[in-house]
Amino acid sequence: MNETKMKFHPITLVALIFSGLLFAGYLGGCVSNDKMVSQGQTKFQEGLEFGSLNNQKQMTVRFREAVELEPENDRYRVHLGMAYFLQGDLENAEKEYKQALEINKDSRKAYRKLGRLYMRKGDWENAVASFEEDLKRPGITVRPHQVYNWLALSYFSLGNFDQAEEQWLKALDLKDNASIRLNLALAYKDQERFDRAKDSLQKAVTLNPKFPQAHYELSQLFILNKEMKQAVMHFKKVIRLAPRSEWARLSKKYLDLIQQPKN
């Protein structure tokens, strides 16, 4: 995130949680040697199983063995890249994603994973390019609203608010989502478009009433509008929903200031 751009609060990136479920459904790939294919599939399946057990080391070993057996299988390479990414080995992860694209230039998964990797590195221009390639490739993008959200975050980090807003609105057209509403609200807040920020946050807490950060950010805007009763209500919700969070700690301080006896 460009620190000079943000005046209020950094946008919370929606974290991508890897689990065994994310690896499901990717079996396949063919080479001329049936025995090699069978062995590669076996190693790949073992990698999926180790992933479901959160054994990242053995998962990586098995995916690497699958790639060695079937080096032209782009799916195996994408999963090996994912395994490296999970362990923080961004160099090898990027290498595997790029090799997957050399094998299959239309691999949406490889472009998407590259985009996430570039976001991790703060390489926003390459993140934008990767996500745009994912969206324009033939076939169906999995969870396209999330890809538009990441694309918007990348544009925003480049200081291009107009493009960021456009991508967030596309994401919300596909699926209304509380976290995306929060991201858009924080961007509006940064632009001092407080009414739009408030509207987006109210929609976020309607979609997810148990969203402490959205309640906290909304309370800030109510204070700005001198709507103290509403601010107090949302601060109390933050404390109830996430009592040990930083948002709760700050909410208690605000409540002490707002509710202190007047002389």
Side-chain angles (χ1 to χ4, degrees):
M1 184 64 60
N2 187 331
E3 294 180 358
T4 61
K5 177 67 179 172
M6 297 302 295
K7 301 175 184 176
F8 296 91
H9 301 282
I11 288 181
T12 302
L13 299 181
V14 182
L16 181 63
I17 301 174
F18 288 90
S19 70
L21 294 176
L22 287 175
F23 297 116
Y26 293 102
L27 293 176
C30 296
V31 294
S32 58
N33 190 317
D34 290 341
K35 183 177 180 180
M36 295 292 283
V37 171
S38 178
Q39 290 176 346
Q41 289 176 339
T42 297
K43 294 295 184 182
F44 182 69
Q45 184 60 45
E46 290 174 356
L48 297 180
E49 292 169 359
F50 278 117
S52 71
L53 297 172
N54 200 31
N55 188 332
Q56 296 181 10
K57 182 177 179 180
Q58 289 301 319
M59 174 183 67
T60 305
V61 169
R62 296 304 190 276
F63 286 155
R64 188 186 301 118
E65 290 173 343
V67 166
E68 289 171 353
L69 288 163
E70 294 184 57
E72 296 303 308
N73 190 312
D74 61 289
R75 292 175 177 177
Y76 295 178
R77 287 194 177 276
V78 169
H79 279 79
L80 179 56
M82 292 165 64
Y84 283 133
F85 182 87
L86 278 174
Q87 298 176 71
D89 187 349
L90 302 187
E91 182 178 352
N92 276 318
E94 183 177 4
K95 176 183 175 183
E96 293 301 329
Y97 296 149
K98 287 182 174 180
Q99 287 184 332
L101 287 169
E102 288 181 7
I103 298 165
N104 177 10
K105 64 181 178 61
D106 290 324
S107 174
R108 286 175 174 268
K109 298 178 188 68
Y111 281 119
R112 189 177 314 124
K113 300 305 179 185
L114 263 179
R116 293 291 291 161
L117 182 146
Y118 290 133
M119 288 182 77
R120 171 81 69 86
K121 293 172 70 174
D123 185 349
W124 303 110
E125 290 184 357
N126 275 321
V128 165
S130 298
F131 291 134
E132 287 184 339
E133 287 291 342
D134 175 14
L135 291 166
K136 76 182 183 182
R137 292 290 158 176
I140 299 174
T141 295
V142 177
R143 295 171 58 84
H145 67 287
Q146 189 61 78
V147 180
Y148 279 115
N149 178 47
W150 294 327
L151 181 57
L153 287 163
S154 301
Y155 272 123
F156 189 82
S157 298
L158 288 170
N160 190 336
F161 173 79
D162 291 340
Q163 273 286 358
E165 181 185 29
E166 180 181 339
Q167 305 310 317
W168 270 315
L169 293 176
K170 286 180 181 178
L172 292 169
D173 281 342
L174 291 168
K175 182 176 181 179
D176 213 347
N177 177 280
S179 294
I180 295 175
R181 288 277 179 195
L182 172 64
N183 286 344
L184 179 58
L186 291 173
Y188 281 139
K189 189 176 179 182
D190 181 73
Q191 298 292 306
E192 299 185 6
R193 297 165 69 176
F194 300 120
D195 288 342
R196 290 198 176 190
K198 181 180 175 183
D199 179 67
S200 190
L201 286 168
Q202 287 176 321
K203 289 177 180 176
V205 297
T206 298
L207 288 165
N208 181 5
K210 297 182 179 180
F211 196 173
Q213 186 181 2
H215 284 291
Y216 178 80
E217 297 295 343
L218 189 54
S219 67
Q220 301 291 301
L221 294 179
F222 280 123
I223 288 178
L224 190 65
N225 290 337
K226 296 182 170 48
E227 299 176 71
M228 297 306 182
K229 184 177 180 180
Q230 291 292 325
V232 166
M233 180 184 72
H234 286 282
F235 281 134
K236 288 182 177 179
K237 286 183 179 179
V238 173
I239 294 168
R240 185 176 71 252
L241 291 168
R244 298 182 180 179
S245 68
E246 180 67 9
W247 303 310
R249 186 185 71 80
L250 294 172
S251 294
K252 290 174 185 176
K253 286 192 172 184
Y254 276 111
L255 287 175
D256 288 342
L257 290 172
I258 294 170
Q259 298 177 332
Q260 66 184 2
K262 295 182 180 179
N263 296 328

